[in-house]
Structures are given as structure tokens and as C-alpha cells.
Amino acid sequence: MTRLAVRAATAALATAAALFAAPPVQADVARPPLPDATDEAFNEACLTAHNAYRARHGALPLVLDDAAVAHARRRAADASTVEGPGAVPGSRAGYGENRYWSASYEDEAAACAAAVDLWYDGVAHYDWANPGFTRGAGTFTQLVWKSSRKLGCARAAGRAPGAEWHETYVVCAYSPAGNITGRFPANVAAPTP
């Protein structure tokens, strides 16, 4: 191939790439975190909801842990700096984690039971014949993971400046973390009738 033919082919490829290139993506714009809406009653409600589902699967009850609550508070605040249920900046610091986001026109924070119920709904996606991580079941498996013993939950809720709706971010942190490859059969038991 001559140099002229190589230049023509390169120009044609560059033109084709320009025609099919994806448009630029808007960067997430961080906003101030929403107010902390965590209190003792919220964490007790989270603990009760978790332990009711865990009992169905033969898992011991979780206990509330101050360090896990503090971690969940930081994660909920971080989550609320970006609108919606996207990626959360920062580190999970060795904790297992479930996250929940909701938006409503009513100025009321979502209850923890709404988050825990939604996480448990992942049971429908779990493949009991082939135990392991399944994207649609990950929140469920973390919730009932037998080796997890400690729980801390937090909630950030409110209206961001100029927002049309009231948002709630719930984060629960689990220690030790669940969803560990190779350990599903020992940690995720089928529900008992």
C-alpha cells in the first residue's frame, strides 16, 4: 500500500470514528450532603426488620454496632451528594453494604423497613441450585449472610436546594462483610416454612 493510500485509509477511519463517537458525558456535580436523619429508633427498626428476615434463613440475629453506624452515616452522607442511586464515592472500609434511595413529593423520610423489604426481594433472583453471587440477589444475600454479626444503618434525607422532591438515602453496613465468593452455600440458607 502506498503512503497516499495509507493516509486516505487513516483519514477515512478517523472520519468514521468521528461520526460514531459517543457524545461527551456530563460529570456528576456534587452537592452538599442531605441532613442526617438517623436516630436510635431508626436503627432499632432496621435491626428488627433485618433479624426477622434472617430468622427465616437460619441466620443468627445481628447486633447494632456503633462503629458500623458511624461508617453508615458517612456513607449515607456521601451518597446524598449525588442525586439518585448511583455510585457512592469513598470506601466501604471492609464492611458489607446495602444501599437504598427513594424520592417523593412528600417531605417525609422513608422508613428502614421499606429499604430492607426491597433488599429482601432479591430472594426471587437467587439461584438455589447454583449458589453464588447474582447481581439481582446481592442485597438479599448480604442481608441473610450467616457470618455477618454486626449492623449499623444510617439515613440522609431532605430536599436538595432547588429539588422538586424529598430524597432518602439509607445505607446499612455489615461486619464481617458478606457476598464472599466460595462461601455462599455455608452462609445463605433456603427459607424455612
Side-chain angles (χ1 to χ4, degrees), residues 122-137 140-141 184-185 188:
V123 68
H125 303 286
Y126 192 67
D127 184 356
W128 298 100
N130 186 24
F133 183 79
T134 305
R135 186 178 183 115
F140 155 71
T141 53
F184 283 81
V188 181

Side-chain angles (χ1 to χ4, degrees), residues 33-46 69 72-78 80 102 107-112 153-159 166-171:
L34 296 176
D36 180 32
T38 309
D39 57 21
E40 188 175 329
F42 173 79
N43 260 300
E44 289 295 333
C46 289
V69 171
R73 273 192 163 116
R74 286 188 298 275
R75 296 289 288 162
D78 289 347
S80 74
S102 70
D107 286 333
E108 187 174 316
C112 192
C153 298
R155 173 175 60 182
R159 279 185 195 266
H166 187 277
E167 296 175 86
T168 301
Y169 295 81
V170 175
V171 175

Side-chain angles (χ1 to χ4, degrees), residues 104-105 159-160 162-166:
S104 170
Y105 288 110
R159 279 185 195 266
E164 292 183 46
W165 49 77
H166 187 277

Side-chain angles (χ1 to χ4, degrees), residues 32-125:
L34 296 176
D36 180 32
T38 309
D39 57 21
E40 188 175 329
F42 173 79
N43 260 300
E44 289 295 333
C46 289
L47 183 65
T48 298
H50 274 81
N51 287 337
Y53 283 126
R54 289 173 65 82
R56 289 184 189 178
H57 294 270
L60 293 173
L62 296 168
V63 296
L64 288 176
D65 179 71
D66 290 340
V69 171
H71 175 76
R73 273 192 163 116
R74 286 188 298 275
R75 296 289 288 162
D78 289 347
S80 74
T81 64
V82 179
E83 181 181 325
V88 178
S91 168
R92 292 185 320 165
Y95 288 96
E97 181 175 281
N98 279 341
R99 294 188 311 262
Y100 169 88
W101 174 81
S102 70
S104 170
Y105 288 110
E106 297 180 24
D107 286 333
E108 187 174 316
C112 192
V116 177
D117 290 347
L118 183 67
W119 297 333
Y120 187 80
D121 286 348
V123 68
H125 303 286

